[in-house]
Amino acid sequence: NEVAIDYNESEQAKTLPLVIINVNNIPTWFKEAYNEGRIKRIKGTPTFIVWNGRKELSRLTGYKNRKDFMLRINIYISEWEMK
């Protein structure tokens, strides 16, 4: 919740928008991607999956605080932009 409040208004969201998936109501596209091996098994919560619309590119597992989360997101974006 700490991130979800305003993340999608952030600069980072332009590259990595946030979509929250409720484990009690998993969307069909997620189930299909998991069954086809395009998303790995979730081993901890929360899990933030970097998704390109077709497959999982990376993930962040766990959450300490907003500052740490944003640092990790910024590192991923920096590395992605360098490719």
Side-chain angles (χ1 to χ4, degrees):
N1 256 355
E2 188 178 52
V3 172
I5 293 170
D6 61 357
Y7 178 83
N8 281 330
E9 284 84 44
S10 70
E11 282 298 310
Q12 292 85 348
K14 292 176 183 175
T15 304
L16 294 174
L18 178 66
V19 176
I20 298 173
I21 296 175
N22 182 325
V23 296
N24 298 313
N25 189 19
I26 298 173
T28 302
W29 66 266
F30 188 95
K31 291 177 189 175
E32 289 172 356
Y34 178 78
N35 291 334
E36 294 168 2
R38 296 183 286 129
I39 294 177
K40 298 175 195 163
R41 183 173 165 263
I42 294 177
K43 299 177 183 177
T45 59
T47 298
F48 302 91
I49 297 172
V50 179
W51 174 258
N52 72 354
R54 176 158 161 55
K55 67 178 183 175
E56 178 178 336
L57 301 176
S58 186
R59 68 173 49 201
L60 305 173
T61 303
Y63 182 85
K64 292 180 188 174
N65 56 52
R66 182 182 177 87
K67 182 178 176 182
D68 180 67
F69 173 79
M70 296 305 285
L71 174 66
R72 293 165 70 195
I73 289 293
N74 287 331
I75 289 169
Y76 179 81
I77 290 172
S78 295
E79 290 173 354
W80 180 77
E81 288 175 343
M82 292 172 67
K83 291 181 182 181

